[in-house]
Amino acid sequence: MAELPVPELPTPLARCSGRFTISTLLGTEEGVRGPYAPSEGAGCDSSLPSGSTLCTRTFGYNTVDVVPAYEHYANSRGVGDTGRGRPSLADLHSILKPDPGRFHTPLAEPQRSNGLPEAGPEEAAEEPGGAPAAEPVRFGWVKGVMIRCMLNIWGVILYLRLPWITAQAGIALTWLIILMSVTVTTITGLSISAISTNGKVKSGGTYFLISRSLGPELGGSIGLIFAFANAVAVAMHTVGFAETVRDLLQEHNSLIVDPTNDIRIIGVVTVTVLLGISLAGMEWEAKAQILFFLVILVSFINYLVGTVIPATAEKQAKGFFSYRADIFAQNFVPNWRGPDGSFFGLFSIFFPSATGILAGANISGDLKDPAVAIPKGTLMAIFWTTVSYLVLSATIGACVVRDASGSLNDSVAVGSAGCEGLTCALGWNFTACAQRQSCRYGLSNYYQSMSMVSGFGPLITAGIFGATLSSALACLVSAPKVFQCLCRDQLYPLIGFFGKGYGRNSEPIRGYMLTYLIAVGFILIAELNAIAPIISNFFLCSYALINFSCFHASITNSPGWRPSFRYYSKWAALFGATVSVVIMFLLTWWAALIAFGIVIFLLGYVLYKKPDVNWGSSMQASSYNMALSYSVGLSEVDEHIKNYRPQCLVLTGPPNFRPALVDFVGTFTKNLSLMLCGNVLIGPWKQKAPESWLIADGHTKWLMKRKIKAFYTDVVAEDLRSGVQMLLQAAGLGRMRPNILVLGYKRNWQTVPPQSLEDYVGILHDAFDFKYGVCLMRMKEGLNVSRVMQAHFNPTFEAAEHPENGTGSRAAPGTADPSSVAGEQQASTIFQSEQGKKTIDIYWLFDDGGLTLLIPYLLGRKKRWGKCRVRVFVGGQINRMDEERKAIVSLLSKFRLGFHEVHILPDINQKPRPEHIRRFEELIAPFRLNDGFKDEATVTELRQGCPWKISDEEVDKHRAKSLRQVRLNEILQDYSRDAALIAITLPVGRKGRCPSSLYMAWLETLSQDLRPPLILIRGNQENVLTFYCQ
């Protein structure tokens, strides 16, 4: 038995990662035991040879088992992933086979006290033979999330609109507006915190969180529009900065060209400088953000200092009187003015200033520990910005009156006649301009009130610069980061080019350039008023989906939903999602409709393309919950004939071997009923079980690629019949159980070993014993295409033992590789092509409950078969043809099947032609006992050893039935030679009375020399059709 290779350890003190190895780790070449070598006398599994390196000293004894370790769970994907370094179940309970590559022993790495490796970059792997990669820049929760979010939340609305909102709504309602907005963002922040702590978060920010939670459909659409919204937001914030600079230039009569072109020139130059900062690296970008943060803090302090400085006469003329209780009382209540003078009008103006909480999450790939930084930084940013909004509205509402003229000539003596309003007691008469609503100053009229109140006005202008530029820089960084992750996932075409990263932080340089071009384009347009509402709605879409992601993941009760952040509520998250949608329509209803339209279009595209990704989304968990709930619900209700559905167990063997059988059943069961492809792997369990695990996934993918809505299952059995018996008994779940067995006709029944023939017919008897209907299909060219496939892939292929029975399979070269099965070229069949105006001929010879009628009816409802005319043939007597035809037409009309063409076969009982009778007798001749001249004891002895043999007595007893099959074949040749499909009632051979060879001779005679596909159908003699409505 081969030993595991012992790695070359860098130092004698290196440890085996994930195992408590007591022995000193020295090389085996030095005559000392390696890290996996057992000590002398240690107890090891007796099945292992002495000196096996697979025994590791763990807890004082040698075992293949390993102790829990971080690397065993890193990068685990599916349920079947055993993890790196952990032995499989077969390694533990089976005899180990030599496989040098089975175990991978990771090199020792420094570990923390908790056994986890030190945090490192996502791409920690080094190039073979190259120098170690440089350590990328990583940020903590303050610098990476809190400051970034606070800068993105603060904006020009804080400086230019909040004082005006306070004048309109009053301090009380302004606080209500602020708290309502913050409620939405706080709930969203809690949802972000929960999602980001439910597993390791990588780069991609909002897109990564939503896509990994709700799946690629919604995640992809939001990722694309969110990246675009951030790119346009760069232009919006830059234009806000450019307009402020333009206004300053106008005040000093220093315009460059003209007001509009100055905005364009300043905007392009500014965004180019911001791009340079971004391209310099995240470290420089973070330093720039800290600079902007300090500027804004200084502007706040400057403002607060200004509120306590005694007002000068010039400031009093503009409405500033320092803190006064009567001014606070007057501004506490609302005073609505203008077209926007309503609560929800002001709410829609203020709410965008509360957004920006995703800035930290968007650079999740650049955080040291996103699971800690995102919750802590986001919630702290919301808290401090909320405090700043509340303080600003309360302080400015207590210092500045609503209306002021700004003229020093309006000062009057206290108590002067003709003076109205609060300012009269302060020595100022603003009555005239207030009544005419022509005042230029005051909270209601002057947007620059904060600059007027502050101790040094230019610092407020600097704060506006800092707020706009920091928001533009944050969006300029967020858009490429989100877009890069989306490009790498390849959900949409033609965007993979932008997924490449450069440098130690994997910077999306190409994404930066694309964002820059988009921003410059919108800056040059210089008309952002129309696009701004759509951008706001895109951000709100993201909020709604983040909240819905948290709610959906919680409501599915998935065991995988285990966020370490516990302070969230699924109902609060649902409330946040609902309110976000409502706010979208409150802001701009037409922009909300556009945003929803774009999301639905992108969602539909991903649903149509069905990308090959599996992220364990909550949608999968929800699908499981719904399927489980409905399956249990079905079991609680008795079945009814009206709800009967043909649920088929199709004995396909490997489904790619019999595509016609798969296509036929898939055509009439698609979106209607259950289809289960069964395969019997014949051989010893120990030999075939690994093959079963290996090929199942490949066959399922093959069905999906062929767009067949079916399940695949296989069993391992010693012989074909016992395997099919297992499937008949165990397949399905609850009411979702097969009720029809579909299999292919055994064309080589005359040449196979007799026991194989006996098993095939026995399968049909077993199906009837388990109350299954049976559907048997024969095509002139055969069903099994494995010879053609294997001849293409492997010229030395030899056919399997059961090539045409549609059931079992033995190992064939080239079939065990799942990827080759799913990726092979799809064989075309007759059931994939348009049938035109041919006929579907139904020979309803015996009443089986109606299944012989139902399956062709379901087939005819499909588009490819829709133009076919259905003809029904029934047996009858020549002297009662009209009466019998009317009776059948009346019965069919009650079934509402739409079958109107009925033919009576009066000559069904005529004697067949002599040459056809001779052909049948020649067919059964090799299987006859010819016991006419033998005594009864000899015949009994012969029958015990050869039950498939036909005695002379059985030939005579079944002569009438045999001749009927010969005659039916003649009728089929006469009436249905050019049909698209023939469906006929399957004859039944009595178990124990009809030898298997005689029964197969009936089927051979009935179906031979027919060009169209022939379907032999026999229900379980229970009704599947009804003409009652209850």
Side-chain angles (χ1 to χ4, degrees):
M1 181 177 293
E3 297 182 349
L4 284 178
V6 178
E8 295 181 5
L9 299 169
T11 65
L13 299 178
R15 298 182 309 221
C16 173
S17 178
R19 310 186 182 205
F20 299 133
T21 307
I22 301 173
S23 59
T24 303
L25 303 183
L26 297 176
T28 55
E29 295 177 359
E30 301 177 16
V32 186
R33 290 184 301 271
Y36 290 89
S39 60
E40 295 179 8
C44 185
D45 192 339
S46 59
S47 64
L48 298 176
S50 176
S52 172
T53 57
L54 291 175
C55 287
T56 303
R57 173 169 292 188
T58 307
F59 302 129
Y61 70 98
N62 292 326
T63 177
V64 179
D65 240 336
V66 295
V67 298
Y70 171 84
E71 61 269 16
H72 298 163
Y73 297 90
N75 295 324
S76 59
R77 301 278 181 185
V79 175
D81 191 352
T82 58
R84 297 183 300 170
R86 183 192 305 133
S88 68
L89 199 58
D91 294 331
L92 295 177
H93 80 97
S94 300
I95 297 177
L96 288 170
K97 296 181 179 180
D99 187 359
R102 169 63 188 89
F103 287 93
H104 169 65
T105 308
L107 292 177
E109 57 185 14
Q111 296 193 352
R112 299 176 184 168
S113 58
N114 61 0
L116 298 181
E118 294 293 337
E122 292 173 12
E123 294 83 6
E126 300 175 4
E127 294 294 333
E135 183 69 19
V137 178
R138 293 286 186 257
F139 304 114
W141 69 273
V142 175
K143 190 176 178 181
V145 181
M146 188 185 78
I147 291 179
R148 191 175 297 274
C149 287
M150 291 178 70
L151 288 171
N152 215 22
I153 293 171
W154 285 328
V156 289
I157 291 178
L158 169 68
Y159 292 95
L160 303 182
R161 292 294 183 271
L162 189 56
W164 175 77
I165 292 173
T166 304
Q168 290 268 3
I171 296 173
L173 291 183
T174 300
W175 276 39
L176 181 60
I177 289 173
I178 294 171
L179 293 176
M180 285 177 59
S181 303
V182 169
T183 298
V184 176
T185 56
T186 302
I187 292 173
T188 307
L190 294 175
S191 299
I192 292 173
S193 302
I195 297 172
S196 62
T197 58
N198 188 53
K200 186 177 181 180
V201 177
K202 299 182 180 179
S203 61
T206 305
Y207 160 70
F208 184 89
L209 295 177
I210 295 178
S211 62
R212 270 53 176 181
S213 181
L214 287 179
E217 296 83 9
L218 283 172
S221 58
I222 284 298
L224 200 58
I225 67 171
F226 187 76
F228 177 76
N230 273 282
V232 179
V234 175
M236 290 177 57
H237 294 301
T238 305
V239 167
F241 167 78
E243 287 179 347
T244 307
V245 176
R246 188 271 316 269
D247 293 341
L248 290 175
L249 293 176
Q250 274 185 324
E251 288 181 11
H252 297 85
N253 296 319
S254 302
L255 288 177
I256 304 172
V257 181
D258 58 63
T260 302
N261 284 317
D262 280 11
I263 292 177
R264 292 169 177 162
I265 294 171
I266 298 168
V268 171
V269 172
T270 303
V271 79
T272 304
V273 173
L274 294 178
L275 175 66
I277 296 174
S278 301
L279 293 178
M282 287 298 296
E283 192 171 4
W284 283 97
E285 187 268 348
K287 291 177 180 178
Q289 293 285 32
I290 292 176
L291 176 62
F292 293 140
F293 182 72
L294 293 176
V295 170
I296 293 176
L297 285 185
V298 170
S299 70
F300 280 170
I301 296 172
N302 173 52
Y303 159 75
L304 293 175
V305 170
T307 60
V308 297
I309 297 176
T312 63
E314 185 180 10
K315 286 190 175 183
Q316 288 184 352
K318 294 181 178 180
F320 173 63
F321 296 94
S322 294
Y323 291 106
R324 295 188 62 90
D326 49 357
I327 296 178
F328 182 86
Q330 185 186 54
N331 289 335
F332 191 78
V333 295
N335 181 19
W336 309 112
R337 300 181 187 182
D340 293 322
S342 64
F343 180 82
F344 285 108
L346 296 179
F347 177 81
S348 65
I349 292 173
F350 173 80
F351 183 79
S353 67
T355 60
I357 61 173
L358 301 177
N362 286 337
I363 63 161
S364 55
D366 297 300
L367 302 175
K368 290 180 182 178
D369 190 351
V372 173
I374 292 176
K376 201 171 181 180
T378 303
L379 295 177
M380 288 300 290
I382 293 173
F383 174 76
W384 288 117
T385 53
T386 303
V387 169
S388 68
Y389 285 144
L390 295 176
V391 169
L392 193 149
S393 63
T395 53
I396 205 163
C399 296
V400 185
V401 296
R402 284 193 170 100
D403 293 298
S405 63
S407 174
L408 296 174
N409 297 327
D410 288 337
S411 61
V412 296
V414 176
S416 298
C419 182
E420 298 178 2
L422 177 65
T423 55
C424 294
L426 302 175
W428 292 87
N429 184 5
F430 302 135
T431 306
C433 73
Q435 290 177 348
R436 293 194 305 268
Q437 293 188 353
S438 60
C439 296
R440 294 177 56 196
Y441 295 93
L443 288 181
S444 296
N445 310 293
Y446 188 49
Y447 288 155
Q448 300 284 352
S449 295
M450 277 188 68
S451 180
M452 180 265 294
V453 170
S454 66
F456 184 61
L459 284 178
I460 299 298
T461 303
I464 295 174
F465 288 173
T468 53
L469 293 178
S470 64
S471 297
L473 186 57
C475 293
L476 182 59
V477 171
S478 297
K481 295 283 186 181
V482 173
F483 192 57
Q484 181 186 37
C485 184
L486 178 64
C487 294
R488 286 176 171 175
D489 288 336
Q490 298 181 345
L491 299 183
Y492 298 101
L494 307 177
I495 63 174
F497 173 79
F498 299 98
K500 183 176 176 58
Y502 296 87
R504 43 182 195 168
N505 271 55
S506 188
E507 294 289 348
I509 304 297
R510 297 173 179 176
Y512 280 131
M513 299 307 299
L514 178 64
T515 305
Y516 172 76
L517 293 176
I518 294 173
V520 169
F522 279 96
I523 289 171
L524 294 177
I525 292 173
E527 288 292 336
L528 294 176
N529 291 335
I531 197 72
I534 300 178
I535 302 306
S536 298
N537 278 290
F538 282 170
F539 287 120
L540 279 168
C541 267
S542 303
Y543 289 2
L545 281 178
I546 286 174
N547 284 307
F548 182 74
S549 299
C550 181
F551 165 76
H552 196 263
S554 302
I555 204 71
T556 55
N557 292 323
S558 173
W561 175 249
R562 302 184 302 273
S564 56
F565 182 86
R566 300 291 183 181
Y567 305 103
Y568 72 95
S569 168
K570 58 185 176 184
W571 302 115
L574 179 62
F575 173 76
T578 306
V579 171
S580 297
V581 174
V582 171
I583 293 175
M584 288 176 65
F585 286 92
L586 286 178
L587 292 179
T588 319
W589 65 268
W590 58 266
L593 292 178
I594 292 175
F596 274 113
I598 294 174
V599 170
I600 291 172
F601 172 77
L602 295 173
L603 170 67
Y605 176 82
V606 179
L607 286 173
Y608 173 76
K609 295 297 290 184
K610 291 183 174 62
D612 187 18
V613 294
N614 183 10
W615 296 323
S617 68
S618 61
M619 288 298 181
Q620 293 174 322
S622 177
S623 299
Y624 176 86
N625 281 356
M626 292 174 63
L628 183 62
S629 176
Y630 289 146
S631 297
V632 173
L634 279 175
S635 302
E636 297 172 355
V637 181
D638 292 335
E639 292 181 346
H640 194 281
I641 301 174
K642 285 170 59 178
N643 294 324
Y644 174 86
R645 294 171 186 258
Q647 303 187 121
C648 300
L649 171 60
V650 191
L651 299 184
T652 59
N656 56 322
F657 278 14
R658 296 171 179 83
L661 192 63
V662 171
D663 290 340
F664 165 65
V665 181
T667 301
F668 69 82
T669 59
K670 186 175 183 180
N671 299 325
L672 175 78
S673 59
L674 174 70
M675 176 179 173
L676 195 63
C677 294
N679 182 19
V680 180
L681 299 173
I682 302 172
W685 165 257
K686 290 184 179 180
Q687 176 186 345
K688 291 296 180 178
E691 180 184 338
S692 171
W693 305 329
L694 184 64
I695 65 176
D697 186 57
H699 289 315
T700 300
K701 290 180 178 178
W702 183 88
L703 291 169
M704 293 171 59
K705 183 178 179 181
R706 203 172 180 86
K707 298 182 179 179
I708 299 293
K709 295 189 176 181
F711 299 97
Y712 170 83
T713 186
D714 53 34
V715 294
V716 178
E718 293 296 332
D719 59 77
L720 178 64
R721 185 175 182 182
S722 60
V724 175
Q725 287 173 343
M726 295 179 196
L727 290 172
L728 290 171
Q729 295 178 82
L733 179 68
R735 301 286 187 194
M736 302 287 291
R737 295 178 61 86
N739 50 29
I740 299 174
L741 178 69
V742 183
L743 69 166
Y745 177 71
K746 191 175 183 67
R747 297 175 66 196
N748 60 343
W749 65 274
Q750 300 176 65
T751 57
V752 297
Q755 187 57 47
S756 177
L757 170 64
E758 193 75 9
D759 286 347
Y760 181 79
V761 177
I763 287 171
L764 302 180
H765 290 305
D766 293 337
F768 291 134
D769 288 340
F770 290 116
K771 293 190 175 180
Y772 275 66
V774 172
C775 181
L776 194 149
M777 180 178 180
R778 181 174 186 180
M779 295 180 65
K780 185 176 182 180
E781 60 274 18
L783 295 173
N784 196 330
V785 299
S786 61
R787 285 179 176 270
V788 179
M789 290 171 52
Q790 295 297 343
H792 175 71
F793 289 107
N794 185 359
T796 62
F797 167 74
E798 294 183 3
E801 181 180 347
H802 304 283
E804 287 298 339
N805 57 22
T807 53
S809 67
R810 297 185 182 273
T815 63
D817 183 7
S819 60
S820 66
V821 172
E824 69 185 22
Q825 185 177 0
Q826 297 278 346
S828 60
T829 66
I830 187 176
F831 298 99
Q832 293 179 315
S833 58
E834 291 284 341
Q835 298 302 313
K837 297 183 179 180
K838 297 180 181 179
T839 63
I840 299 176
D841 292 349
I842 305 173
Y843 289 82
W844 195 26
L845 305 179
F846 303 100
D847 191 354
D848 61 346
L851 187 63
T852 307
L853 296 174
L854 181 61
I855 289 180
Y857 164 74
L858 296 176
L859 196 67
R861 293 201 308 180
K862 301 302 178 181
K863 184 178 180 180
R864 293 187 180 118
W865 298 79
K867 295 181 182 179
C868 291
R869 192 173 80 255
V870 179
R871 302 188 299 179
V872 180
F873 296 85
V874 294
Q877 299 178 3
I878 193 168
N879 57 348
R880 299 183 67 248
M881 286 180 60
D882 290 340
E883 292 86 347
E884 291 181 351
R885 184 180 182 281
K886 289 179 181 179
I888 295 298
V889 169
S890 175
L891 179 61
L892 293 177
S893 66
K894 288 182 172 63
F895 287 147
R896 308 174 305 283
L897 296 173
F899 300 162
H900 304 295
E901 187 172 342
V902 178
H903 298 268
I904 305 299
L905 301 174
D907 53 352
I908 194 172
N909 289 322
Q910 288 183 2
K911 189 174 181 180
R913 291 194 283 272
E915 61 270 21
H916 294 159
I917 297 176
R918 281 197 306 274
R919 185 171 62 178
F920 174 77
E921 291 176 346
E922 292 170 358
L923 188 65
I924 64 173
F927 301 96
R928 296 189 61 170
L929 283 173
N930 297 316
D931 57 338
F933 302 100
K934 299 174 183 175
D935 56 63
E936 185 175 349
T938 304
V939 172
T940 303
E941 184 178 352
L942 289 173
R943 291 303 304 272
Q944 286 180 349
C946 304
W948 54 86
K949 290 287 189 178
I950 310 170
S951 65
D952 293 349
E953 181 184 358
E954 288 166 340
V955 171
D956 295 337
K957 186 186 299 183
H958 296 98
R959 178 168 294 278
K961 198 168 186 177
S962 300
L963 294 178
R964 185 186 302 131
Q965 312 310 320
V966 178
R967 176 58 187 157
L968 282 175
N969 180 258
E970 294 177 349
I971 293 174
L972 295 179
Q973 296 282 0
D974 292 339
Y975 288 94
S976 301
R977 184 180 299 273
D978 298 321
L981 180 75
I982 302 173
I984 189 170
T985 306
L986 174 72
V988 179
R990 194 172 295 277
K991 185 169 61 174
R993 293 290 185 267
C994 177
S996 57
S997 56
L998 178 60
Y999 182 72
M1000 289 303 298
W1002 290 349
L1003 300 185
E1004 178 71 26
T1005 301
L1006 175 62
S1007 60
Q1008 66 186 354
D1009 298 334
L1010 293 174
R1011 187 195 61 80
L1014 178 70
I1015 313 297
L1016 297 105
I1017 305 172
R1018 170 67 70 166
N1020 62 358
Q1021 302 304 112
E1022 295 180 2
N1023 289 349
V1024 300
L1025 297 174
T1026 180
F1027 42 74
Y1028 294 109
C1029 63
Q1030 63 179 13

